[in-house]
Amino acid sequence: MTRTSAGKRGGGRRITLLVALAVFAQESTWNFYESQVPPLLRQHLTSAALVGLLMGMDNLLGIFIQPWIGARSDRTRTSWGRRIPFLVVGMPVAAALFAVIPHTASSLPLLIAVMFSYALVANSFKPIAEALVPDFVSAGRRSRANAAVKIASSLTTIVAALVSLLLVDDHLNIAFAIPSLIMVVSVVVLGVTVRDSRSPGYRSAVAESLAKDRAEHADPRVRDVFADILRDRDRSRLLLLVAIFLFGGAWAASRSLVTPYGMEALGMSRGAAGGLTLPSGVAFILAAYPAAVLAERHGRLRVMAAGMTVFAAAMVLGTTVRTPTGTVVAMCVAAAGGACVLVNAVVVLWNLAPSARVFAAYGGLYTVGWSGGGFLGPALVGAMVDVNGWPLMLVDTAAVTVPAIAVVTRIGALRRRSATAPAK
């Protein structure tokens, strides 16, 4: 290995760890938000549907904000780069708003206002930290980098659980302050150590923006990015967003409906049913890096299709062995299959991007697909449960996964056809 290539790899590892730190900090607040804000709302509201609607507000905001802010970041040019300015402004503001949440719990209008403000600010920089991965890391090694980021994100569930266990009952304000402090520390580290104006992605984007033909090389807006995807006769990028949407729905359904499934189909208590997915979180962490290595060796689309197939098969397995232990095993296998998708899907989308100028916008579009699926998937599977009954919930989830497998297989065929087509 040459000294230059070794230096690039070392720089890639460094930026991967820093991005993982930023994502860990962001997701620490999000996970704690999801687990501890509903009880605050329940102090004022008796309707579970209304609580769920308010808790889904952040996903709805993300669908609109993240692609737009990603495109804004792609077009930003400063001596600090195009990502760090958004992070050093947005993360401290979000941390402050998050820390204020428990202090507003006595007033429902004020609580909702702070929730909305936090969700608005936090969504505005959520795709930007991850966009540092394609900015700094070469296309061939992005899956490994993204695996580290996903592992960091998954670890936040453990942190949120520990903070809840140790502090929430007696020191609620301090419990909310800890994730906020983690976010502030992480942004200080990023601000001091990272200048993304030095990244290959930023330099490439600047070079393209300075091209002589400004009409042809104008910096794209988010609607331009999406229109380009719609007009593309290859359809690979559009189909990938559809696959992300479909699998995102199946994944969300397998998570959000498993507690009532345990209660209705397995006869478990609410607390015991709520713990069915805990071992699968560990399985996801263990599977994330191998999923990246396999993807780099055998092809990301092939590994994604295989992971979706494993996920669907695990759902069928859980229905066949309808016991708490069988369900836990099925959820662990499903999590390993899901890791193959979550680690690689956004990397495929980045690598299909026509230019380094749109990395963050593409990350935002990934979020639109994933959040859209997460919003509608549980409702679709829930409607199927209304017809088929709770014992078949896991099979219903597998049924939603099958079209996603077909779409990814179709994308693979299109990419192979494009690679073998004679040059014109």
Side-chain angles (χ1 to χ4, degrees), residues 273-343:
L276 285 171
T277 58
L278 183 59
S280 67
V282 178
F284 181 94
I285 292 172
L286 295 176
Y289 192 77
V293 174
L294 287 172
E296 291 176 1
R297 292 178 180 175
H298 303 290
R300 293 182 177 90
L301 290 171
R302 185 176 300 174
V303 169
M304 284 176 60
M308 291 178 179
T309 303
V310 168
F311 178 90
M315 295 293 101
V316 175
L317 171 66
T319 304
T320 304
V321 187
R322 197 180 302 153
T323 64
T325 301
T327 302
V328 168
V329 172
M331 296 302 290
C332 288
V333 175
C340 295
V341 183
L342 273 75
V343 166

Side-chain angles (χ1 to χ4, degrees), residues 96-311:
L97 288 168
F98 185 80
V100 167
I101 287 175
H103 298 278
T104 65
S106 60
S107 168
L108 180 61
L110 188 57
L111 175 60
I112 294 174
V114 175
M115 286 172 58
F116 179 85
S117 301
Y118 165 75
L120 185 68
V121 176
N123 268 299
S124 70
F125 60 82
K126 195 171 184 181
I128 292 177
E130 293 187 22
L132 289 168
V133 171
D135 280 346
F136 280 93
V137 180
S138 62
R141 301 185 68 83
R142 286 173 187 164
S143 284
R144 299 189 190 203
N146 199 45
V149 172
K150 294 299 182 185
I151 289 171
S153 178
S154 299
L155 287 173
T156 60
T157 59
I158 299 174
V159 173
L162 288 174
V163 173
S164 296
L165 180 65
L166 298 174
L167 293 173
V168 163
D169 289 338
D170 298 320
H171 306 285
L172 183 62
N173 294 342
I174 296 176
F176 271 84
I178 288 176
S180 298
L181 181 61
I182 293 174
M183 185 180 288
V184 171
V185 170
S186 71
V187 75
V188 169
V189 173
L190 278 174
V192 170
T193 59
V194 178
R195 293 292 183 274
D196 70 282
S197 57
R198 303 169 184 169
S199 71
Y202 182 86
R203 292 176 179 177
S204 176
V206 170
E208 290 184 45
S209 297
L210 293 177
K212 292 182 180 179
D213 189 351
R214 295 294 299 177
E216 182 180 351
H217 296 87
D219 290 333
R221 296 164 295 182
V222 65
R223 64 186 180 192
D224 301 324
V225 172
F226 191 62
D228 176 61
I229 292 174
L230 290 176
R231 289 194 301 263
D232 187 4
R233 298 177 65 180
D234 181 80
R235 297 298 182 191
S236 293
R237 293 174 292 173
L238 182 61
L239 288 174
L240 182 58
L241 290 173
V242 171
I244 291 166
F245 172 82
L246 291 170
F247 187 75
W251 178 266
S254 73
R255 298 283 151 171
S256 63
L257 298 179
V258 71
T259 297
Y261 170 79
M263 296 169 65
E264 299 292 338
L266 304 178
M268 302 174 69
S269 68
R270 179 180 176 181
L276 285 171
T277 58
L278 183 59
S280 67
V282 178
F284 181 94
I285 292 172
L286 295 176
Y289 192 77
V293 174
L294 287 172
E296 291 176 1
R297 292 178 180 175
H298 303 290
R300 293 182 177 90
L301 290 171
R302 185 176 300 174
V303 169
M304 284 176 60
M308 291 178 179
T309 303
V310 168
F311 178 90

Side-chain angles (χ1 to χ4, degrees), residues 66-74 83 127 131 220-222 225 349-350 357-367:
Q66 292 192 33
W68 176 77
I69 203 71
R72 292 285 299 178
S73 173
D74 286 330
R83 315 295 186 205
R221 296 164 295 182
V222 65
V225 172
L349 198 57
W350 282 332
R357 295 181 296 162
V358 294
F359 282 152
Y362 270 54
L365 290 177
Y366 168 84
T367 300

Side-chain angles (χ1 to χ4, degrees), residues 245-258 260-261 311 315 319 372-403:
F245 172 82
L246 291 170
F247 187 75
W251 178 266
S254 73
R255 298 283 151 171
S256 63
L257 298 179
V258 71
Y261 170 79
F311 178 90
M315 295 293 101
T319 304
F375 185 69
L376 295 177
L380 174 60
V381 173
M384 297 168 73
V385 167
D386 288 341
V387 176
N388 301 324
W390 279 105
L392 295 180
M393 189 275 288
L394 297 181
V395 170
D396 295 336
T397 303
V400 176
T401 310
V402 171

Side-chain angles (χ1 to χ4, degrees), residues 10-58:
R13 292 191 189 100
R14 174 179 170 274
I15 198 65
T16 297
L17 291 174
L18 290 169
V19 173
L21 173 64
V23 171
F24 177 83
Q26 294 174 31
E27 293 299 321
S28 291
T29 60
W30 278 115
N31 272 299
F32 200 76
Y33 178 91
E34 296 292 342
S35 65
Q36 294 303 326
V37 171
L40 299 180
L41 292 170
R42 292 284 291 173
Q43 295 175 10
H44 304 277
L45 302 170
T46 58
S47 170
L50 188 54
V51 171
L53 181 65
L54 290 171
M55 290 304 297
M57 173 175 57
D58 59 292

